[in-house]
Structure formats: C-alpha cells, structure tokens
C-alpha cells in the first residue's frame, strides 16, 4: 500500500470538507477550492479525517493513490493558511510594480511587460528597489504555474557572469567571478 496514500488527512476545525458527486470541495478562511479525483479513487470524510482508498494493487492505482492524497492535503493547507512564492529580479533598471490586478515589469525589453494576474492570485512588490515579488494564493498548483509564467518572461540567462533576469528567491544559479586582473 502507498505509504503516503494510506495516511488519513486530519481536517482542522476551521476547514469544511465535502465530497459530493465525485468532487472534493474544501472551504476555509483563505478561499474555496474544488478537485475532481480520478474515478478509481474513493474519497470519504470519516470523523475529522479524509480517507482515500484505491480499488486494487495495480501500479497506476498505487501512484494515483498518493497523488490524490497529496492534492487534497494541499487544498486543505491552502484553504487554511495559503501558499506564497517569491521571485527576485536582478539587472540594471529591472523592476516590477503592481497596479490593480496587473503586474507591470521592466525587464530590459523595449516595452514594459504587463501580466494580468489569474483569478485567486495576489501579488505584492515588497522592497524599495522594486525587485522582490511575492505571489500568494490558496491554490498551490495555480500559484506554481503563475510564478513559472512570470519567471519565463526573462529567465536568468545562461551567462554565468551576468545572471540578469527573474528567478525564484530560493534558486541559486551558478555564478562565476569576473577577471581579477594583475595584482
């Protein structure tokens, strides 16, 4: 049996979980989320726990078992606390600002980039240089896709000396030291 899939998910007191019509709905202080698991997975709410069962020991069923449990766990955590993803912009004149539901970025192109934030995702630029972007949402999957899209506008270049571009805050690209010259 899947080690991850067989563990029940403990539901906090401020979260409501409902399973109806083959769809799992989670409601909490940070938002409402829904997910339709694979038809083979049986999801039920028993007491204060969510339990996922699989029909057989096939390889596909075992992998779906753990995946379904993880996705539902992420929904519960997102509805309770939410998720954040941080990006840093590095480069001369590179900056970002939030205007309503749009993220305006200057990334060295001849024109500014205007990115409309998807529904349920909030953005903030936190430092005085306007180079640190914080994206937040209750939906972990949508948040990851949005952060990847923002990063794709100007990913960190392959040149290990310059490293200009947008990167995740926890990303550490390889950086080489420049010429030291004669001493």
């Amino acid at each position: 049996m899947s080690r991850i899939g067989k563990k029940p998910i403990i539901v906090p007191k401020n979260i409501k979980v409902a399973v109806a019509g083959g769809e799992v709905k989670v409601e909490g202080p940070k938002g409402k989320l829904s997910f339709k698991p694979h038809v083979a997975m049986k999801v039920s709410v028993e007491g204060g726990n969510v339990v996922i069962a699989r029909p057989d020991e096939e390889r596909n069923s075992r992998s779906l078992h753990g995946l379904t449990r993880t996705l539902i766990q992420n929904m519960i955590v997102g509805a309770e606390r939410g998720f954040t993803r941080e990006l840093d912009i590095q480069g001369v004149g590179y900056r970002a600002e939030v205007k309503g539901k749009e993220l305006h970025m200057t990334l060295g192109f001849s024109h500014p980039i205007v990115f409309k934030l998807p529904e349920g995702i909030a953005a903030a630029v936190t430092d005085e240089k306007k180079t640190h972007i914080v994206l937040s949402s209750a939906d972990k999957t949508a948040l990851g896709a949005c952060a990847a899209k923002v990063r794709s506008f100007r990913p960190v270049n392959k040149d290990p000396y310059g490293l200009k571009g947008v990167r995740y805050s926890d990303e550490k690209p390889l950086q080489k030291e420049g010429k030291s010259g004669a001493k």
Side-chain angles (χ1 to χ4, degrees):
M1 197 164 193
S2 168
R3 281 184 251 159
I4 294 173
K6 70 180 179 181
K7 291 169 52 179
I9 303 168
I10 299 169
V11 180
K13 295 190 187 312
N14 59 346
I15 301 294
K16 295 178 186 173
V17 179
V19 180
E23 189 172 27
V24 180
K25 294 182 180 182
V26 177
E27 186 177 338
K30 293 288 184 176
K32 298 177 184 179
L33 300 167
S34 64
F35 167 65
K36 190 165 179 133
H38 192 272
V39 293
M41 297 297 115
K42 304 296 180 224
V43 180
S44 61
V45 180
E46 298 173 3
N49 297 332
V50 177
V51 180
I52 296 98
R54 67 174 182 238
D56 52 34
E57 293 297 317
E58 296 286 325
R59 182 182 177 113
N60 191 33
S61 296
R62 289 194 317 254
S63 62
L64 285 172
H65 192 208
L67 173 69
T68 304
R69 190 233 182 244
T70 302
L71 292 175
I72 295 171
Q73 172 71 32
N74 285 342
M75 287 172 46
I76 291 172
V77 171
E80 183 184 22
R81 290 180 260 149
F83 293 101
T84 60
R85 196 71 168 127
E86 299 182 13
L87 297 134
D88 287 324
I89 301 173
Q90 185 174 354
V92 177
Y94 289 17
R95 63 185 175 280
E97 61 183 330
V98 179
K99 294 182 182 175
K101 289 290 289 174
E102 294 179 339
L103 182 63
H104 293 255
M105 296 175 283
T106 306
L107 299 175
F109 298 116
S110 62
H111 58 284
I113 295 171
V114 178
F115 177 65
K116 286 189 165 214
L117 294 169
E119 191 64 36
I121 296 181
V125 179
T126 58
D127 65 348
E128 66 279 346
K129 294 181 184 177
K130 298 183 178 184
T131 59
H132 187 76
I133 303 168
V134 179
L135 300 172
S136 58
S137 176
D139 188 354
K140 188 174 186 179
T141 306
L143 179 67
C146 181
K149 180 69 174 171
V150 170
R151 184 178 179 273
S152 73
F153 291 127
R154 179 70 109 176
V156 177
N157 57 3
K158 302 290 185 212
D159 176 27
Y161 298 103
L163 298 182
K164 296 187 298 188
V166 181
R167 67 168 156 250
Y168 300 118
S169 292
D170 56 356
E171 183 179 4
K172 301 291 183 215
L174 176 69
Q175 184 172 10
K176 291 185 178 179
E177 200 173 308
K179 290 183 179 179
S180 59
K183 291 185 180 181

